[in-house]
Amino acid sequence: MKKYKLLIIPILLILITTTALAMRRGRIIDGTERELWIDDYSTLPTDPEIGFESIILQVDFRHTGTATYRNITFKAGEVPQLEAVRDEFHVTRMNPDDKFTTSYKFNVKEDTTPGIYTVPIHVEYEDIGSDEDNKTAKITRAARIRVSDETRIEIIGIEQKEPLVPGEEFETMVEVKNIGNMPSNLLRVSLDTKERERTAATEQGLIEGDYESDSSGAIYWRRQHKTIDYLEPGETEKVILQGKVSISAENKLYPAVATVREGEKEFKNKFALSIEGKPELIQAGISTTGDDPRTGERTAISIQLENIGRGEAKATKLEIKEGDYEGVRTAHIGTIDDDGGMGTAIMDLTFKEPGKHELIYEVTYQDITGEEYTETFTGEIYIDPEVEDYTIYIVAAIILVAAIYLIHRKIKKSKEDQEIDI
């Protein structure tokens, strides 16, 4: 008896499951399976308004049946308030458990009343699992589009000078447009980097005036928000907000956000504030390399430059003005890093006269925006006189001394000989 019970229980479970699935799906109608269902649907934008164009309706279909379908056509039916721009979507094949997102495009007519509109989706496909000769099946599902009468605001532009320089004031322009079909009023436009807070910078004299700082202490706002009293549909307005960069701000990008608030609704656009200090080159030294420089000899001149600014000095070039020397007078140094970076120019010159020489040289360089700077510096070096060649005089002196010595010996020997004869 127990054995029979063990056999009956699985059989009953299979029968119950099969019956439940068949009842749930209701999959056979006139011998043809009808198992395409809408899982979800959405619109872009979420709440289109009267007069909006190219509204996208996305509908997710899922195949919950057991047969394979092919040549599936999804066609959006007519809706008086909507003008179809793209109303068909095709799928070559759908297997059981497949899911496809279909897409349709509409314009909302100007005379439409706000409300919710049903869009019928007519589906036609071939059921290759059907026992009938005519395997083509047709079903209709439904999605909905909500046409809103609410106002809609968009931030269509954010402009400011780039990059910002430590210590300088700046303006940020935010352009706001009413893209809806209803007027907007009392729009509050604001800028934020991070959570605002008062810092000790104001009390320390780093920032003058009524400024509010972000939490990094790099950006300060004189007026962080403004109000737009009224904005007609399709109308735009530019709002200018003022700020200042701390003199101690680091060179980097600071994430920021522009926000427009209308009552409880909020519209945001992210952007970034780029801070980059300006370069400033000074003379760090001038010297000669190798042995003591002399006139008539090629001398290597080394000129050092230091960047004491807060930005990189790019395309740095040094040129010595003409003087009492010959040689190549131009050197390309390239980029000198900010905050103490060093660059060196080495040139070979030949000086015509000894003594102190004043070298006047011009340095040109650029910041990261391409703005060019020119500085003129003066340095001094000393050139020794040309070394005289005394070899011939030494040889002549040696010869003269030798001659005198020989003559002296000869005279002395002659006297000695005379004395012997006597």
Side-chain angles (χ1 to χ4, degrees):
M1 190 66 179
K2 291 183 178 179
K3 292 182 179 180
Y4 290 115
K5 286 183 178 179
L6 292 174
L7 290 172
I8 290 170
I9 291 173
I11 293 172
L12 287 174
L13 288 174
I14 293 171
L15 289 173
I16 291 169
T17 303
T18 304
T19 303
L21 288 173
M23 290 177 66
R24 181 178 65 82
R25 292 176 173 174
R27 64 183 182 84
I28 303 298
I29 301 177
D30 298 329
T32 303
E33 195 173 66
R34 304 285 201 276
E35 291 305 322
L36 285 179
W37 298 96
I38 292 178
D39 257 8
D40 195 10
Y41 58 85
S42 60
T43 56
L44 290 173
T46 304
D47 293 321
E49 297 181 16
I50 300 167
F52 272 30
E53 296 182 351
S54 298
I55 302 303
I56 296 174
L57 172 64
Q58 291 184 333
V59 183
D60 298 335
F61 278 90
R62 182 181 293 277
H63 185 350
T64 62
T66 59
T68 297
Y69 302 155
R70 65 184 179 189
N71 299 327
I72 307 109
T73 299
F74 303 86
K75 184 174 177 62
E78 293 185 5
V79 181
Q81 295 82 0
L82 305 175
E83 178 187 358
V85 178
R86 183 180 66 238
D87 60 0
E88 283 194 15
F89 192 90
H90 298 275
V91 175
T92 304
R93 184 185 184 94
M94 287 186 73
N95 296 316
D97 294 326
D98 279 354
K99 179 179 177 180
F100 282 92
T101 299
T102 62
S103 178
Y104 316 89
K105 188 178 290 187
F106 302 92
N107 296 333
V108 182
K109 295 181 180 179
E110 295 288 349
D111 57 354
T112 298
T113 302
I116 298 175
Y117 296 93
T118 300
V119 180
I121 309 294
H122 304 298
V123 187
E124 185 173 331
Y125 58 91
E126 295 178 10
D127 183 353
I128 63 175
S130 173
D131 295 331
E132 300 292 323
D133 292 336
N134 183 8
K135 299 179 180 179
T136 301
K138 296 180 180 179
I139 58 174
T140 298
R141 303 291 184 236
R144 291 175 177 80
I145 293 180
R146 177 179 181 268
V147 177
S148 173
D149 61 351
E150 297 179 354
T151 57
R152 290 183 62 83
I153 300 299
E154 186 176 41
I155 299 172
I156 62 174
I158 300 174
E159 295 181 5
Q160 64 183 35
K161 174 187 174 183
E162 289 284 352
L164 304 178
V165 177
E168 77 170 1
E169 295 185 351
F170 66 93
E171 292 182 343
T172 300
M173 187 278 291
V174 181
E175 188 171 7
V176 180
K177 182 177 182 180
N178 182 351
I179 61 173
N181 293 280
M182 300 288 290
S184 298
N185 66 326
L186 298 179
L187 299 173
R188 182 184 173 97
V189 183
S190 63
L191 295 178
D192 288 280
T193 46
K194 296 180 180 179
E195 183 180 355
R196 292 181 295 115
E197 63 181 14
R198 298 295 268 173
T199 69
T202 303
E203 289 74 14
Q204 293 171 357
L206 297 177
I207 296 295
E208 297 178 357
D210 185 19
Y211 284 90
E212 290 182 317
S213 168
D214 71 343
S215 59
S216 70
I219 306 295
Y220 296 80
W221 305 103
R222 181 187 293 276
R223 188 171 181 182
Q224 196 181 14
H225 55 79
K226 286 188 177 180
T227 300
I228 300 175
D229 292 331
Y230 194 79
L231 206 58
E232 289 281 0
E235 186 181 2
T236 63
E237 184 160 334
K238 295 179 179 180
V239 175
I240 295 177
L241 300 168
Q242 295 178 326
K244 188 170 184 178
V245 184
S246 168
I247 59 174
S248 60
E250 297 180 15
N251 292 351
K252 66 178 185 179
L253 288 174
Y254 290 82
V257 62
T259 304
V260 179
R261 293 180 179 87
E262 183 187 25
E264 296 182 356
K265 292 188 295 183
E266 195 173 76
F267 310 92
K268 293 187 176 185
N269 261 34
K270 293 180 180 180
F271 67 107
L273 295 166
S274 173
I275 297 180
E276 180 72 32
K278 291 187 177 296
E280 182 181 353
L281 296 185
I282 62 171
Q283 177 180 279
I286 180 169
S287 60
T288 59
T289 61
D291 299 331
D292 294 337
R294 300 183 182 279
T295 56
E297 297 178 354
R298 181 178 295 177
T299 302
I301 306 297
S302 176
I303 300 175
Q304 292 82 40
L305 301 173
E306 182 180 1
N307 184 0
I308 62 172
R310 298 294 301 274
E312 289 184 341
K314 296 180 175 294
T316 306
K317 184 179 74 171
L318 184 149
E319 182 175 5
I320 300 177
K321 300 296 184 181
E322 291 185 0
D324 190 21
Y325 38 78
E326 297 177 347
V328 178
R329 298 180 290 107
T330 301
H332 294 271
I333 301 173
T335 298
I336 302 178
D337 293 336
D338 61 332
D339 201 15
M342 302 290 292
T344 302
I346 298 178
M347 288 158 289
D348 290 333
L349 300 177
T350 302
F351 293 84
K352 301 175 182 178
E353 298 293 336
K356 183 172 67 176
H357 287 264
E358 187 177 76
L359 296 181
I360 301 173
Y361 54 95
E362 185 177 87
V363 179
T364 59
Y365 54 99
Q366 299 176 1
D367 60 23
I368 63 168
T369 67
E371 183 179 352
E372 189 167 278
Y373 305 82
T374 301
E375 305 285 351
T376 300
F377 302 101
T378 301
E380 292 183 352
I381 61 171
Y382 188 83
I383 302 298
D384 292 334
E386 184 178 357
V387 178
E388 294 287 347
D389 190 355
Y390 296 103
T391 304
I392 188 170
Y393 300 106
I394 295 173
V395 172
I398 293 173
I399 293 173
L400 179 62
V401 171
I404 293 173
Y405 175 75
L406 291 173
I407 293 172
H408 174 70
R409 287 289 304 269
K410 187 175 182 180
I411 293 173
K412 184 177 180 181
K413 186 177 181 182
S414 177
K415 288 182 178 180
E416 291 177 350
D417 290 342
Q418 289 178 359
E419 290 176 359
I420 293 171
D421 290 341
I422 295 172

